[in-house]
């Protein structure tokens, strides 16, 4: 075939003024650093090493500490007090000598002298109820916080220690060498708070019938993390950013009143001693019941226990292997149902404990939601490794290994709204999901809240959709984050901000990272690539301490996708996405040389008669747009038949497709973020077609780009991001032709008239 050219009259496919040239013009030709949105993250991420590798995987020299706990706990329900005696064995698996150990005393956030309230500003309220006035200005502070009665080494010698708010430093007489262990004992107690009054993460509640339920967590002195990234992770606990903990083995005995039912982290070691014969029989039966939950403790059992008064006690014994924390819940009002869940070749138990007040809602859904969550999370990460996952009806939402506290109750008559039901299903999914992030993929919650809350909130979307796709449609994502992202920039912080320093904790740590990962999966990477990379990250870092860099690098390493532009924009800045259609021009094809083409060839000494065979695009708004073109005489190549006969082989002519129209699409990007351009074309015959341009289309011009789109049918409408897949904050510029005027355009018209 002869040489064949297709010339565009007045534009090029991508704007000829590059991004770098624009910046140079603005800076009067001054030099500048690389400010491209596609610059690699090398400057932001820590240097890879033998512990945290460049691929995002743990290195061959990766180490982490182990801490084992043996505890005897007594719950005093008369005085709402808990006391404990615990033996801690600290394993120094690092290569460092340790002169001291840091222990977390999280209950000190409620101590009478706590500084927690002092770090936040406040203003006078317009009005105070008597109880709130008393609590704020007249009441005696709650006497919370740990009371340390003894701290001794294995030989019974007193240990020197210093308490700094919620952290306690234990000074060692001899540095703990690599590979060695240190064992010590702590005796302590504290007053349990009423969580309904102070909204704490643990505590007790009193029901209208006078009975009590306890949700107990952060209840024992816990070792802080010592790692090869930050050394001791001993940031203070101010009440918001949660906990960083080491893995270890737990042996725990908990003494409660005899009529109480209890569940906790770990496997119950003495079920025959603490359950009745009938309850134990149901307990065993539940372990092979896979389809529907059955009662271990029935509503009748719970009602009977709630009316009993006894001074006798019983002791529940639990063993938990390779967990990072321990929590429990207990009450004389608890109903307990259970169902077995098959995960490949393993069976785990799904448990729910709830009072009569929660029965109407929880009996139907709680345990089934637990099972669904375990199945979906296991599919996207790794099989759930622990023996059970328990959901406890407590009026809060909080998570611990194998056990979580979840809200959701009906009214006095057992009636509940769809909103209450949806909230309960959502919180159970979320808190059970936390078993994976961060209870197993053990990120530093205090420093990087998004690594547990945000990642977990993302997988929660998939699990909720699986449970009830009508109640939890995925179409609301990522639109749910738009309002936050286009908010006041002075009240926004990047996701990569320590949790205590964010303005909008929920949106910053939960919603925005979850929305970002949703965009990555659904729009940028696609489910197949994303799911493999995400599973790779989770598998690499289960039972280990990952950092943000490990997540970012693993996602790229396992997908062969350069996502640095996305991490930088979505996680390191407060920018938002706004992509629109700036201009659309329609072109027709002709074989008649245009003036521009003639001039272009003339520069090389080629006359009109010597120009090679070519086709030319003529814009409808140009002087050269003739009546013949307007009447579409050339659009189907009918006037070019001689040209085709001369320049195309018979095989080529047989497969030749003839676009009738060529559209020059000019996209603008007023927003800071780069994103793919998703375009929907609606033709005059009502059919539709979609085209997605990768985000890299913006790499050389961050303001606008131009593309040529050929089609055999005339376009009626063009829409950018028709399903709102990219969290676009301004939809007014997303359509062509424009159907509505922007506020600025209305303002301009008003100014002209006046």
């Amino acid at each position: 075939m002869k040489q064949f050219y297709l010339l565009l009259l007045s534009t090029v496919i991508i704007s000829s003024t590059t991004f770098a040239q624009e910046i140079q013009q603005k800076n009067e030709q001054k030099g500048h650093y690389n400010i491209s949105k596609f610059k690699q993250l090398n400057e932001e991420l820590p240097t890879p090493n033998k512990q945290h590798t460049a691929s995002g995987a743990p290195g061959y020299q990766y180490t982490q500490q182990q801490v084992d706990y043996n505890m005897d706990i007594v719950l005093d329900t008369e005085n709402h007090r808990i006391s404990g005696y615990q033996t801690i064995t600290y394993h120094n698996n690092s290569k460092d000598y340790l002169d001291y150990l840091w222990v977390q005393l999280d209950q000190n956030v409620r101590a009478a002298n706590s500084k927690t309230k002092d770090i936040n500003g406040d203003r006078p309220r317009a009005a105070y109820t008597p109880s709130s006035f008393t609590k704020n200005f007249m009441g005696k502070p709650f006497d919370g916080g740990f009371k340390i009665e003894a701290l001794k080494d294995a030989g019974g010698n007193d240990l020197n220690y210093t308490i700094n708010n919620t952290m306690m430093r234990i000074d060692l007489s001899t540095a703990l060498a690599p590979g060695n262990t240190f064992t010590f004992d702590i005796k302590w107690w504290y007053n349990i708070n009423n969580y309904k009054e102070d909204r704490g993460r643990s505590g007790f509640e009193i029901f209208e019938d006078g009975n009590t339920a306890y949700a107990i967590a952060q209840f024992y002195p816990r070792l802080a993390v010592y790692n090869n990234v930050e050394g001791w992770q001993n940031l203070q606990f101010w009440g918001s950013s949660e906990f960083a903990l080491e893995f270890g083995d737990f042996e725990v005995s908990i003494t409660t009143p005899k009529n109480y039912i209890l569940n906790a982290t770990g496997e119950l070691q003495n079920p025959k001693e603490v359950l009745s014969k009938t309850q134990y029989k149901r307990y065993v039966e539940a372990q092979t019941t896979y389809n529907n939950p059955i009662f271990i403790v029935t509503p009748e059992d719970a009602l009977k226990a709630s009316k009993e008064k006894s001074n006798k006690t019983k002791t529940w014994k639990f063993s938990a292997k390779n967990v990072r924390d321990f929590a429990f819940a207990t009450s004389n009002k608890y109903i307990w149902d259970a169902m077995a869940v098959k995960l490949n070749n393993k069976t785990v138990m799904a448990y729910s404990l709830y009072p009569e007040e929660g029965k109407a809602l929880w009996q139907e859904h709680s345990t089934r939601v637990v099972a669904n969550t375990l199945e979906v999370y296991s599919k996207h990460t790794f099989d759930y490794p622990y023996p059970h996952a328990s959901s406890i009806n407590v009026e809060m939402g909080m998570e611990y290994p194998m056990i979580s506290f979840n809200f959701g109750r009906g009214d006095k008559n057992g009636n509940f709204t769809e909103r209450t039901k949806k909230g309960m299903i959502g919180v159970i999914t979320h808190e059970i999901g936390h078993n994976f992030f961060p209870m197993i993929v053990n990120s530093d919650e205090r420093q990087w809240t998004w690594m547990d809350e945000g990642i977990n909130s993302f997988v929660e979307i998939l699990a909720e959709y699986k449970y009830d796709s009508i109640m939890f449609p995925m179409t609301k994502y990522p639109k749910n984050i738009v309002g936050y992202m286009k908010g006041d920039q002075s009240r926004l912080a990047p996701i990569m901000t320590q949790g205590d320093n964010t303005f909008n904790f929920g949106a910053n740590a939960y919603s925005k990272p979850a929305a970002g990962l949703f965009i990555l999966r659904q729009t940028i990477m696609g489910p197949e690539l994303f799911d493999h990379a995400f599973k790779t990250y989770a598998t690499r870092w289960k039972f280990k301490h990952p950092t943000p860099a490990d997540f970012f690098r693993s996602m790229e390493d396992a997908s062969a996708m350069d996502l640095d532009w996305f991490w930088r924009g979505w996680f390191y800045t407060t920018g938002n996405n706004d992509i629109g259609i700036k201009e659309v021009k329609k072109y027709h094809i002709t074989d008649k040389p245009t003036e521009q083409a003639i001039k272009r060839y003339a520069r090389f000494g080629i006359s009109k008669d010597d120009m090679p065979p070519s086709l030319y695009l003529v814009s409808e708004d140009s002087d050269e747009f003739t009546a013949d073109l307007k009447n579409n005489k050339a659009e189907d190549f009918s006037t070019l038949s001689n040209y085709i006969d001369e320049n195309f082989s018979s095989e080529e002519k047989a497969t030749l497709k003839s676009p009738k129209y060529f559209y020059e699409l000019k996209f603008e990007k007023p927003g800071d973020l780069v994103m793919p351009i998703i375009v929907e074309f609606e033709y005059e015959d009502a059919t539709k077609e979609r085209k997605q341009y990768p985000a890299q289309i913006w790499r050389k011009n961050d303001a606008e780009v131009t593309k040529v789109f050929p089609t055999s049918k005339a376009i009626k409408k063009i829409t950018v991001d028709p399903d709102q897949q990219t969290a676009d904050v301004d939809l007014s510029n997303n359509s062509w032709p424009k159907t509505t005027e922007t506020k600025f355009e209305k303002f301009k018209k008003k100014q002209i008239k006046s």
Side-chain angles (χ1 to χ4, degrees), residues 380-395:
H380 288 278
T381 57
F382 42 78
D383 285 350
Y384 182 71
Y386 294 134
H388 75 87
S390 295
S391 171
I392 315 296
N393 184 217
V394 180
E395 290 298 87

Side-chain angles (χ1 to χ4, degrees), residues 96-359:
D96 305 326
Y97 285 80
L98 303 179
D99 296 318
Y100 44 76
L101 307 178
W102 279 103
V103 178
Q104 302 182 66
L105 303 178
D106 304 293
Q107 288 296 327
N108 284 3
V109 77
R110 297 191 184 91
N113 63 348
S114 171
K115 299 295 183 183
T116 300
K117 291 184 178 180
D118 296 341
I119 69 170
N120 296 318
D122 57 8
R123 301 181 67 181
R125 300 179 191 171
Y128 294 87
T129 64
S131 60
S132 64
F133 185 85
T134 301
K135 184 177 181 180
N136 280 275
F137 302 117
M138 300 176 63
K140 182 180 179 181
F142 175 70
D143 184 20
F146 282 106
K147 312 298 191 287
I148 306 296
E149 293 188 334
L151 180 58
K152 299 178 181 294
D153 64 19
N157 303 304
D158 290 336
L159 291 170
N160 293 323
Y161 65 92
T162 300
I163 295 178
N164 175 14
N165 198 17
T166 61
M167 289 288 170
M168 176 172 69
R169 189 188 70 239
I170 300 176
D171 298 317
L172 306 179
S173 57
T174 303
L176 181 60
N180 287 0
T181 62
F182 181 74
T183 300
F184 60 101
D185 301 324
I186 304 180
K187 186 179 181 182
W188 53 267
W189 66 273
Y190 70 83
N191 293 315
I192 305 172
N193 62 297
N194 185 326
Y195 78 82
K196 299 270 288 191
E197 294 180 356
D198 67 11
R199 301 178 64 186
R201 279 178 168 78
S202 65
F204 68 86
E205 68 169 307
I206 300 175
F207 296 91
E208 290 186 3
D209 62 8
N211 287 299
T212 308
Y214 294 85
I216 303 299
Q218 293 85 243
F219 69 94
Y220 62 99
R222 309 182 295 177
L223 265 294
V225 168
Y226 181 84
N227 62 26
N228 43 32
V229 176
E230 295 178 312
W232 283 105
Q233 203 299 69
N234 52 9
L235 291 176
Q236 293 289 339
F237 176 49
W238 295 111
S240 293
S241 295
E242 292 171 4
F243 315 105
L245 299 159
E246 302 283 11
F247 287 103
D249 297 336
F250 287 71
E251 301 295 330
V252 183
S253 297
I254 307 168
T255 300
T256 69
K258 188 176 181 180
N259 60 335
Y260 272 51
I261 290 295
L262 183 147
N263 203 0
T265 301
E267 279 193 284
L268 180 61
Q269 300 298 293
N270 59 337
K272 287 185 177 181
E273 297 175 15
V274 294
L275 300 175
S276 71
K277 289 184 179 180
T278 304
Q279 290 168 349
Y280 176 72
K281 182 179 179 181
R282 300 184 198 124
Y283 176 82
V284 174
E285 181 185 353
Q287 295 173 25
T288 55
T289 303
Y290 293 94
N291 297 323
N292 294 294
I294 65 171
F295 287 117
I296 294 174
V297 177
T298 66
E300 293 74 22
D301 292 340
L303 179 62
K304 180 181 177 181
S306 69
K307 294 180 178 180
E308 292 178 354
K309 299 294 180 183
S310 174
N311 294 324
K312 295 182 179 180
T313 63
K314 61 184 175 185
T315 299
W316 303 71
K317 298 179 180 180
F318 287 86
S319 178
K321 303 299 181 183
N322 203 20
V323 296
R324 54 164 255 170
D325 200 3
F326 191 98
F328 67 92
T330 184
S331 175
N332 61 340
K333 287 177 64 68
Y334 279 158
I335 301 163
W336 181 0
D337 71 37
M339 184 172 71
V341 183
K342 181 70 74 174
L343 299 175
N344 290 322
N345 297 320
K346 180 180 181 180
T347 294
V348 300
M349 296 305 300
Y351 293 140
S352 292
L353 282 73
Y354 45 90
E356 178 64 29
E357 289 78 356
K359 174 176 173 288

Side-chain angles (χ1 to χ4, degrees), residues 372-373 375-377 379-381 429 455-469 472-474 477 514 517-518 521-522 527 530-531 534:
N372 177 74
T373 303
E375 291 167 352
V376 174
Y377 275 71
K379 174 184 175 183
H380 288 278
T381 57
T429 302
I455 292 177
N456 181 50
S457 294
F458 160 70
V459 189
E460 177 190 349
I461 295 171
L462 307 179
E464 289 172 344
Y465 181 78
K466 172 72 163 41
Y467 189 79
D468 190 330
S469 60
F472 298 97
M474 288 202 290
Y477 304 103
L517 296 179
F518 187 87
R521 183 179 191 264
Q522 302 300 119
F530 180 95
D531 289 352
F534 189 76

